[in-house]
Amino acid sequence: GTSEFICNMSITPSTTLESPLTSTWGPTIPYHDGPLVMPGYTSRLWSHDSQPQFWSKYQVWEWLQQVMDIHQIDASSIPFQNFDMDGHQLCSLNYHDFIRAAGSVGHILYNSITELKSEIYDPSVHPLAPNVSPTPSSPGKKKKMFYATQFTCILSDIKRSFSRSHQVKKHNPRGTHLWEFIRDILLNPERNPGLIKWEDRTEGVFRFLKSEAVAQLWGKKKNNSSMTYEKLSRAMRYYYKREILERVDGRRLVYKFGRNARGWREAEK
DNA sequence: TTGCGATTTCCTGCTT
DNA sequence: CAAGCAGGAAATCGCA
């Protein structure tokens, strides 16, 4: 096939709509299925390549989403509010803390963060032919960790491709659907510049405060500069039939999450 | 290449 | 009148 050069991470100058949201919600990174597995797959998922110790709260939250996604676990199965912390705090948690905070999923999260803390990935190194010295300041022990990490990556990839072919179909990675995009804005008040607001948090009722701004942001995510609230709302209305949203009549710009919308509740034990 | 899901685009008509 | 809301119909796009 034709191979196009996709320039998707263009950094646009600040506009009135520019917000912290856009800097971390870049477009999904395209990739082709190369060899057997992809090198550094895990690290590639994180747009923030910084060390977890320096993550912001939002990055921690993003990491949670990614880990849950990789392991095909529904995001609503763990209480995200237990991870309302920045990277420094996250890194200070021990194994039992993770179990306490996330139950059975705790060990997965613990393994992931331990892995990320232990080594800096080098995506340029192919795991099947790792003949590059890792980092300047890491002799023997760290080198071993490096290979262990790469091995874990391979395992993740295998697990992932296995899941892909044998488990529940998953058309899009988490966060690419409109309702998830909306939900994620709602769930990050500190990064939500008054775009959408909860009307009834426990009932899942919310209202657009800046409808066109949200549409622009959505358009930006989809690389569609001509997105409007008019068109976005049509997509929202399609969700009624699928019960991802419930109808709220009489109130303009107000919607409500339906039974098929996941991960918006604050505490479901 | 085809099929399908999830929008995107456009539109007519109705409501606030 | 300007925004929203309702849906139908058809076009797109990415992915399997």
Side-chain angles (χ1 to χ4, degrees), chain A residues 21-68:
Chain A
L21 288 170
T22 55
S23 60
T24 45
W25 289 356
T28 48
I29 301 170
Y31 61 84
H32 357 262
D33 286 321
L36 178 59
V37 293
M38 292 177 296
Y41 177 81
T42 307
S43 64
R44 192 178 309 199
L45 281 176
W46 276 267
S47 53
H48 40 70
D49 52 356
S50 62
Q51 297 175 28
Q53 288 85 349
F54 305 123
W55 288 350
S56 64
K57 279 189 178 184
Y58 182 72
Q59 286 173 303
V60 168
W61 181 84
E62 203 173 35
W63 163 76
L64 275 174
Q65 295 278 334
Q66 301 280 18
V67 174
M68 300 300 270

Side-chain angles (χ1 to χ4, degrees), chain A residues 68-81:
Chain A
M68 300 300 270
D69 185 30
I70 289 173
H71 294 273
Q72 309 275 313
I73 303 168
D74 192 282
S76 61
S77 63
I78 65 164
F80 272 40
Q81 70 274 14

Side-chain angles (χ1 to χ4, degrees), chain A residues 61 75-84 101 183 186-187 189 198-205 257 261-269:
Chain A
W61 181 84
S76 61
S77 63
I78 65 164
F80 272 40
Q81 70 274 14
N82 286 355
F83 293 93
D84 180 32
R183 175 199 64 188
L186 245 5
L187 261 36
W198 285 112
E199 286 281 291
D200 187 325
R201 185 67 174 82
T202 56
E203 288 297 306
V205 180
F257 285 122
R262 300 251 103 104
W264 58 270
R265 292 178 188 282
E266 39 187 347
E268 24 191 54
K269 260 318 212 34

Side-chain angles (χ1 to χ4, degrees), chain A residues 51-57 59-60 84-94 98 113 117:
Chain A
Q51 297 175 28
Q53 288 85 349
F54 305 123
W55 288 350
S56 64
K57 279 189 178 184
Q59 286 173 303
V60 168
D84 180 32
M85 59 184 79
D86 60 28
H88 179 71
Q89 294 169 290
L90 183 71
C91 289
S92 69
L93 301 182
N94 60 34
F98 275 96
I113 197 62
K117 274 197 296 187

Side-chain angles (χ1 to χ4, degrees), chain A residues 183-196:
Chain A
R183 175 199 64 188
D184 295 349
I185 289 178
L186 245 5
L187 261 36
N188 285 275
E190 74 278 10
R191 287 178 181 266
N192 176 355
L195 298 178
I196 314 175

Side-chain angles (χ1 to χ4, degrees), chain A residues 11 50 118 165 171:
Chain A
I11 299 172
S50 62
S118 66
S165 52
H171 292 132

